[in-house]
Amino acid sequence: MGIEIPFDVASIAGPEIGGIAPPEVIGCYITSARRPLLVVGSEILRDNFFVEIAIEIGKKGIPIAATGHSMRGFVEKKYTENVYYYNLHELTNCLRDPNWKGLDGAGNYDFVIFYGIIYYYASQMLSCLKNFATDPLMRTVSIDRYYHPNARMSFTNIMPRMEDEYKDMLKKLVESIKR
Amino acid sequence: MEEIKKGGLVDVFDLKNVDIHIGEIVDEGEEEEEWEPMGPHPMPRIATLRDWDFKLLNRYKPFYAPICDMCCLCTYGKCDLTGNKKGACGIRMDAQQGRMVLLACLVGCSAHCGHGRHLLHDMIKKFGPDVPIDFGPEVDIEAPLTRLVCGIKPKTIGDYDEVFSYVEEQIVQLADALHTGQEGSYMDFESKALHMGMLDSLNKEAADIIQIACYDMPSGFPGDGPDVPFVDVGIGTIDTNKPVIIVIGHNVPPSADIGVYLTENDLEDKVEVGGICCTSIDTTRVYKKAKIVSALGRQLRVLRAGIADVVVIDEQCIRADVLELCQRVQSPMIATNDKAMHGLVDRTDDDPDKIVDDLVSGRVPGVIILEPDQVGEVAVRTALQMDKKRRSLKFILSDDEFKYYVNDCILCGSCTLACPNGLYIGEANKSAAAGNLKPLADLFDICVGCGRCEQVCKKHIPIVDVMTKAAYPQLKEEKGRMRIGRGPIWDSEIREAGAPLVLGTIPGIIAPIGCGNYPNGTKDAWLIVKEFAERNYIVALTGCMAIDCALWKDEDGKTIYEAHHGGFSGGGVINIGSCVSNAHIHDATIKVASIFAGRPLRGNYEEIADYILSRVGACGVAWGAMSQKAASIATGFNRLGVPAVVGPHGVKYRRAFMSRPDRKEDWKLIDASDGSEVYVEPGPQDLLVACETVEEALPMMAKLCIRPSDTDRGRSIKLTHYIDLNQKYLSAYPPDWHLFVRAASDLPIATRNELLKKLEDEQGWKIDWKKKKIEEGPIRGYNPSFNPTNLERLVRGKK
């Protein structure tokens, strides 16, 4: 399945590139986080299923930063309890600062999950965190249908004909997050 | 003694074998009149405005998202800078990013400077240096940026020699700073980038003023300004039954000569002239029969469609493979600028008969003609002959070819991985093979027209042609309308709009500018313009966004230009002109400070930028920003205190300028009336920020028009739009709307009670419900006499 090259094929930043991992491994990795954050973009709106996955993760106590216009999906589903609109550029600007108070005022996060974000936008924001959110180290994963070398861990590229498989991966991921 | 005239000859005592060079000649009475006392910073050098830059950079801290983690500029490297490591020369990743930003701005600024200087050379050669800069009764402040930055009030185009000399020297000094072993601070790289951006804005103004003056383009005379005529836009407007000349680029003299030749030879109705990118906009400012075929994003597809009987290129934004594309469809090409010669032979001053014969016979694929006044004859005569020769050729795929290709697709996904927008082309091919062309036709507008997909297709499918075929029925009907570029905003318009803009009752100036690297097609450009024009903002456009938004129509069949007036007042939709014309948007904000507020301009950049940042609610949007010019343009706007929103591809510029509203200490201003320090709301919150989708960008732009100086009435209008746009596109209240409330009177009357209740419930503010007054909560109260500044020297009296 998939191809182990960046979804935008020339998006090879340098020697430090993240690995491809199956959903169970990424789920365990998220479980190990002390204070994780789910960052959600507008691509979740292409199918209710993807909004529901975000809500499932949110229900595990992981706050959600709704970027782009993804907020719509949460409002429609009447799930806004721990969902905060934030522009992704501005959010990443905060995430790189260890002294940021976080969305809830309780401090910055140690782990960020990128989901449903336009590939090249996410790639650049992951690059910022990789290069500048290093002390303390902020761990990043992508659970999009793209391989993101700037994330520490990512799914592989998944083409539309394998959409069902991708949905299964997301279900497995949610199951494997233990909180 | 004999009087020497400019450009004149003089006999010096019958001397022989003596070479005398005469520099500037000062005519009697030509000494610089004291039109305004000189300000503190005429012709600023690299360090002159550094304090202002650092004020900006400390609030809007540079944010970096490296697109490459390495540096490979010297032989120490490649150096791995991942994790903000230092390279062998000692430069850290953050400084390296600032360096790359400065490099991008250098390239962009040089393009505009080179263009302007080239234009000046050509115009002086053609008309002499004394062409007056007289923009008519409606434009007294003819060159706000030139006055502001250089302290010069230009009277003739020849006066711009000094301006370009200043810019060129600064560019070289800034380029020097890029060398290994020079600058090491990211803040100083950014200060230099801001300096480069300011120079770039000056270049643009100079270039447009020169061409307006020489070609009698619209300016401040009756019939200009809001009343300029309309022009056809779109591939469907080109009559391919006639010979067609397509002009591409940014430098108008060769295209203007085509218009002159057609007019002089009574061929105006017999030959079509259509343009791509900014040359098209400028050609319509000088030759009324010209049409705009497309913006930059469709260049590849227009050329591949084979509608051009001859292609004329000048400079900038021309595809590097333009000659190959022309050869593919047997369109002869004429290169007219030494910056884009494409390996052709220079035939300037050759016999036109021979050049035309060589082009028409196909002996050469193209020629170089560097003298603009020789281009018209060759282009027109070639087009007339090629039209007959090419008439039977077809470049749109036949139905059978189309079917073959879409069936041949093996859904390998290579095209998707090569596509800047990650389009799923294979799936659309599959639908087309099954008889449903819509998914493929829909991709046509989202496609940015780069052609990378074709190079990686394992089945060698001409994907661009396949997509064009699917969209062909719509393309034939692509017929838009826009106003021709009007150039400067009139002083009288500024007098009318200045007060409502500063007070906030016209909620802002929205300036859609730049290239077509959109995330989701040209319709977003139209939506941005429509949304703000209908909300009584002033929408001032230039370049490709000005073209792209004209392709779409409302339910009454009107384009956005036809549905709105073209004046600089609320609800206006103004085509300012080409990329260089967007200096008039800077100029409009400067003129607000000068004409409305009476601030001195001459050599007074810092004070004017400070005024604009705190008081003029303007926001640029470069939704498809692509080029290095766009980087320097945005950076120039930023130094002047105007924020800009870019589309998601804009994050690839690596750098943004964003503030932190949660850092109260960053939001301390001075009240110039008494010197007191005031903590204010975050307006504008960012100077450069990317949005993921147009739905997110719309409320963001409304927010970035909020300024500390807004009156309560103005703030309530701005808040209304900010909140409403959030609700419309994000289905929610903006989480930070309360930050912008200073008093109950800042809240829209219609929803005041509801909003006060929200402030009480959600933010814990104390409300006096009897008086409908906010007792406690806001960052500051509303003070109508607040006179905000960032500059201590402007304080008039100490408390």
Side-chain angles (χ1 to χ4, degrees), chain B residues 7 25 100 187 198 227 328 434 573 641 725 752 785:
Chain B
I25 299 168
M100 297 308 289
M187 290 284 274
M198 180 198 71
D227 305 317
R328 179 180 169 132
V573 175
L725 283 163
R752 189 168 291 169
S785 59

Side-chain angles (χ1 to χ4, degrees), chain B residues 10-239:
Chain B
V10 64
D11 193 9
V12 186
F13 305 120
D14 296 324
L15 288 176
K16 289 180 182 173
N17 303 323
V18 176
D19 186 10
I20 297 174
H21 293 272
I22 298 173
E24 285 196 10
I25 299 168
V26 180
D27 286 345
E28 197 179 336
E30 202 188 39
E31 290 96 330
E32 184 76 2
E33 68 193 58
E34 278 303 315
W35 48 275
E36 188 174 300
M38 185 62 87
H41 305 125
M43 298 208 175
R45 307 181 76 78
I46 289 179
T48 311
L49 296 172
R50 185 169 177 260
D51 285 352
W52 170 248
D53 296 337
F54 272 54
K55 279 188 168 53
L56 292 177
L57 296 170
N58 280 318
R59 183 182 300 156
Y60 305 100
K61 291 218 163 37
F63 164 98
Y64 295 119
I67 202 159
C68 173
D69 296 343
M70 295 176 288
C71 176
C72 44
L73 288 176
C74 80
T75 63
Y76 281 144
K78 297 182 177 178
C79 289
D80 172 24
L81 308 179
T82 314
N84 208 18
K85 287 199 289 285
K86 290 190 286 189
C89 70
I91 198 166
R92 280 200 187 279
M93 173 64 106
D94 50 13
Q96 174 66 7
Q97 296 310 300
R99 189 182 182 195
M100 297 308 289
V101 169
L102 176 60
L103 180 61
C105 291
L106 167 79
V107 174
C109 180
S110 300
H112 285 136
C113 183
H115 171 200
R117 177 60 98 172
H118 198 131
L119 197 59
L120 182 63
H121 279 313
D122 282 345
M123 295 301 97
I124 287 180
K125 189 174 174 189
K126 189 176 171 75
F127 301 108
D130 296 330
V131 177
I133 295 168
D134 173 9
F135 293 161
E138 298 289 355
V139 180
D140 282 336
I141 303 179
E142 72 304 297
L145 275 159
T146 308
R147 293 184 182 201
L148 183 68
V149 179
C150 298
I152 293 172
K153 183 179 173 183
K155 295 190 185 71
T156 65
I157 63 164
D159 291 342
Y160 272 102
D161 183 59
E162 188 184 356
V163 174
F164 282 123
S165 294
Y166 159 68
V167 173
E168 286 153 358
E169 200 239 332
Q170 292 300 297
I171 286 176
V172 171
Q173 297 296 336
L174 289 163
D176 181 6
L178 290 164
H179 196 274
T180 302
Q182 300 275 42
E183 191 55 80
S185 151
Y186 72 92
M187 290 284 274
D188 269 305
F189 271 121
E190 293 298 350
S191 169
K192 290 174 171 65
L194 289 165
H195 191 55
M196 191 77 84
M198 180 198 71
L199 298 169
D200 183 55
S201 60
L202 181 60
N203 291 327
K204 290 181 296 178
E205 184 186 82
D208 209 42
I209 282 178
I210 292 165
Q211 63 182 6
I212 290 171
C214 293
Y215 285 116
D216 197 22
M217 290 176 174
S219 55
F221 293 95
D224 294 347
D227 305 317
V228 292
F230 281 81
V231 60
D232 289 337
V233 184
I235 297 172
T237 65
I238 300 297
D239 183 353

Side-chain angles (χ1 to χ4, degrees), chain B residues 517-539:
Chain B
N517 193 18
Y518 308 119
N520 200 31
T522 59
K523 197 167 187 181
D524 286 350
W526 172 80
L527 179 62
I528 290 168
V529 179
K530 178 177 181 287
E531 193 64 74
F532 285 104
E534 288 179 353
R535 290 171 185 271
N536 206 41
Y537 288 72
I538 300 170
V539 185

Side-chain angles (χ1 to χ4, degrees), chain A residues 49-106:
Chain A
F49 172 85
F50 301 112
V51 183
E52 282 156 9
I53 287 289
I55 293 171
E56 290 289 313
I57 296 173
K59 284 179 178 170
K60 287 177 183 280
I62 297 177
I64 298 171
T67 71
H69 66 287
S70 63
M71 193 70 197
R72 268 191 202 171
F74 298 103
V75 172
E76 279 166 21
K77 296 276 177 196
K78 297 186 169 49
Y79 181 86
T80 55
E81 194 184 334
N82 58 349
V83 184
Y84 308 79
Y85 164 74
Y86 229 103
N87 168 274
L88 181 55
H89 226 165
E90 292 173 348
L91 176 69
T92 313
N93 190 34
C94 293
L95 286 169
R96 69 176 173 143
D97 173 9
N99 298 317
W100 182 47
K101 300 288 183 227
L103 298 167
D104 56 3

Side-chain angles (χ1 to χ4, degrees), chain B residues 384-450:
Chain B
L384 287 166
Q385 294 190 45
M386 286 306 295
D387 173 51
K388 292 170 199 147
K389 204 172 162 186
R390 296 176 76 256
R391 188 153 292 276
S392 59
L393 301 175
K394 298 279 178 233
F395 298 102
I396 302 296
L397 295 178
S398 69
D399 291 349
D400 287 343
E401 287 169 323
F402 176 77
K403 272 182 200 159
Y404 171 79
Y405 286 129
V406 293
N407 277 297
D408 209 27
C409 174
I410 55 171
L411 286 169
C412 68
S414 300
C415 51
T416 301
L417 300 188
C419 174
N421 276 339
L423 299 180
Y424 291 109
I425 300 163
E427 279 63 25
N429 281 339
K430 194 177 166 190
S431 295
N436 178 12
L437 269 59
K438 191 174 181 306
L440 199 50
D442 287 348
L443 291 186
F444 181 89
D445 189 54
I446 305 171
C447 165
V448 294
C450 69

Side-chain angles (χ1 to χ4, degrees), chain B residues 741-757:
Chain B
V741 180
R742 301 161 298 183
S745 55
D746 280 348
L747 299 170
I749 294 170
T751 52
R752 189 168 291 169
N753 283 352
E754 179 193 334
L755 294 173
L756 283 171
K757 188 83 179 69

Side-chain angles (χ1 to χ4, degrees), chain B residues 463-476:
Chain B
I463 295 169
V464 173
D465 295 341
V466 169
M467 214 180 270
T468 302
K469 171 72 177 178
Y472 197 60
Q474 295 96 295
L475 272 179
K476 280 196 298 185

Side-chain angles (χ1 to χ4, degrees), chain B residues 669-743:
Chain B
L669 292 185
I670 304 165
D671 189 336
S673 318
D674 59 10
S676 58
E677 292 179 338
V678 182
Y679 290 99
V680 301
E681 58 281 10
Q685 182 172 327
D686 303 315
L687 279 185
L688 188 70
V689 63
C691 289
E692 188 185 349
T693 60
V694 73
E695 291 88 344
E696 184 185 31
L698 292 162
M700 176 66 86
M701 283 182 262
K703 179 163 81 166
L704 293 183
C705 286
I706 294 175
R707 293 294 179 278
S709 66
D710 295 338
T711 61
D712 52 356
R713 185 158 164 250
R715 180 64 60 85
S716 75
I717 292 169
K718 292 184 183 188
L719 265 179
T720 300
H721 294 303
Y722 179 43
I723 293 171
D724 187 58
L725 283 163
N726 263 275
Q727 290 182 313
K728 183 172 177 181
Y729 290 102
L730 273 65
S731 303
Y733 272 82
D736 58 354
W737 68 272
H738 61 284
L739 297 179
F740 304 103
V741 180
R742 301 161 298 183

